Amino acid sequence: MSIKQVRSEEEMRITLQTLTLQFGADTTPARGLCGSELEAWLNQAEDELFDQLFSRLNAQY
């Protein structure tokens, strides 16, 4: 099944930089990916980051 690309290449590049610089995420697995493959990787990485941050927040309360 093919995933339709929704994000522009520029948006995905900015998202990769943000994941690395702001959140310390390891984005090396995304090297060499482009188009829908990169978008799928970003979606998964963002979901994992959200879950991690949400768990930390819940642990505080």
Side-chain angles (χ1 to χ4, degrees):
M1 176 195 282
S2 171
I3 298 174
K4 182 179 177 187
Q5 184 176 340
V6 178
R7 302 183 205 202
S8 70
E9 292 294 326
E10 178 70 8
E11 181 182 356
M12 291 190 287
R13 184 186 63 75
I14 291 168
T15 303
L16 276 173
Q17 287 179 332
T18 301
L19 287 171
T20 302
L21 298 174
Q22 297 294 319
F23 298 102
D26 178 14
T27 58
T28 55
R31 286 187 186 151
L33 298 178
C34 61
S36 61
E37 291 86 10
L38 178 55
E39 186 167 23
W41 188 92
L42 287 170
N43 287 337
Q44 181 178 350
E46 290 169 330
D47 288 347
E48 290 172 6
L49 178 61
F50 177 83
D51 290 344
Q52 181 184 35
L53 295 173
F54 190 74
S55 292
R56 285 186 201 165
L57 183 62
N58 273 342
Q60 293 177 0
Y61 298 99

